[in-house]
Amino acid sequence: MSRCRCTAGWLLLASAAFLCTSPAALARPRLVLKLGHGLPTTHAVHKAMLFMADRVKARSEGQMIVQVFPNEQLGNEKECIEALQLGYLAMTKVSSAPMESFVNKMKVFGVPYLFRDSEHFWKVLDGPIGRELLLEGESKRLRGLCYYDAGARSFYTKSRAIHSPADLSGLKIRVQNSIMAVKMMQAMGGSATPIPFGELYTALDQGVVDGAENNAPSFVQARHYEVCGYYTLDEHTCLPDILMIGTRVWKKLSAEQRQILQEAADESVRYQRTLWLEQEQKDLQVAREAGVEIIRPDKQPFRESVRPIWDEFESSSDQKLAEIGDLIDRIQEVP
Ligand code: GCU
């Protein structure tokens, strides 16, 4: 997405403002919240946001509308976060990875092999730590409403199968716009290349990168499986997707509007988790049937390769790093 297209989108949004009144609506003002994100429309997370938008419309009797714009139409994840801060865009859904540059504590999700299993992951996210992290960005004008399941991320490559970190050596692997992802690739021995999600298909196709990493629904729904023949389920990180609202917009909502939005978000979480589990299995099968070799490697060498990342946080006297070290400890203490 070029900066120019994005700026045009922002201007449009700014001029439309988030409160629109049409002549017919003078007596009944309508609140329109625009939500931009980068995933395709067939993706479970997109479907969950449509579900949330339906609930908002029904509960407000048509007075609150959430308009969902997929496929980076309103900008990539970093651009959408910035637009929220500036108040040009009301809502976005991003991965926790690009949030790291705005909210230091979000880096904790990028610590490889942090969660024992998905039960541990959800216990942390549904509990006080998860809540604390959703609200951590408020001073940066970013408020998290809920988390969506984005499974575990694993490597996929075009022409070399990855069985251990040694196989990543010399390969250019696309990563998200995230310091933690770059650290992880360095620790594992590959070469990290940050590229926005919407540009990745072309980058893979044209050989700008040799591979990438993601969950099965994103690998398949973004059609990356058409160009990558190997998918290695090393499951290095569990980065949640996060539904965000700009605090400028949030503060302008009435107590009732806030409640409608939050409850709809919470309901969409339950819906999305079921949808996710189905889609994860289905998409792995789609990849397999298309001829992708699915590799289930021994995870131990991957775990060992990223140990320096854990050590750096746990032994640091730098306050920002130590903050992550404390969070790692608290997360590990969750039974
Ligand atoms: C996941 C996540 C997206 C993110 C993407 C990426 O698919 O749901 O929000 O953009 O990973 O790798 O960039």
Side-chain angles (χ1 to χ4, degrees), residues 9-24:
W10 287 3
L11 287 175
L12 200 75
L13 291 167
S15 60
F18 83 95
L19 185 66
C20 305
T21 43
S22 68

Side-chain angles (χ1 to χ4, degrees), residues 238-258:
C238 290
L239 307 176
D241 273 2
I242 312 181
L243 183 64
M244 310 284 314
I245 185 164
T247 52
R248 287 181 169 192
V249 172
W250 179 255
K251 282 183 184 150
K252 285 185 191 157
L253 301 183
S254 67
E256 193 195 353
Q257 288 169 332
R258 288 181 190 178

Side-chain angles (χ1 to χ4, degrees), residues 93-94 96 106 109 121-122 124-135 144-150 239-243 262 265-266 268-270 272-273:
K93 189 294 303 165
V94 292
S96 62
M106 288 283 175
F109 291 121
F121 175 77
W122 284 118
V124 172
L125 265 65
D126 291 338
I129 301 176
R131 173 100 193 128
E132 177 185 323
L133 290 171
L134 282 180
L135 301 183
L145 290 172
C146 66
Y147 297 105
Y148 290 127
D149 199 345
L239 307 176
D241 273 2
I242 312 181
L243 183 64
Q262 186 63 61
D266 294 343
S268 71
V269 165
R270 292 190 283 279
Q272 192 261 346
R273 286 194 202 169

Side-chain angles (χ1 to χ4, degrees), residues 25 34 41 53 97 150 265 295 309:
K34 302 209 184 234
T41 52
I295 298 155
I309 299 180

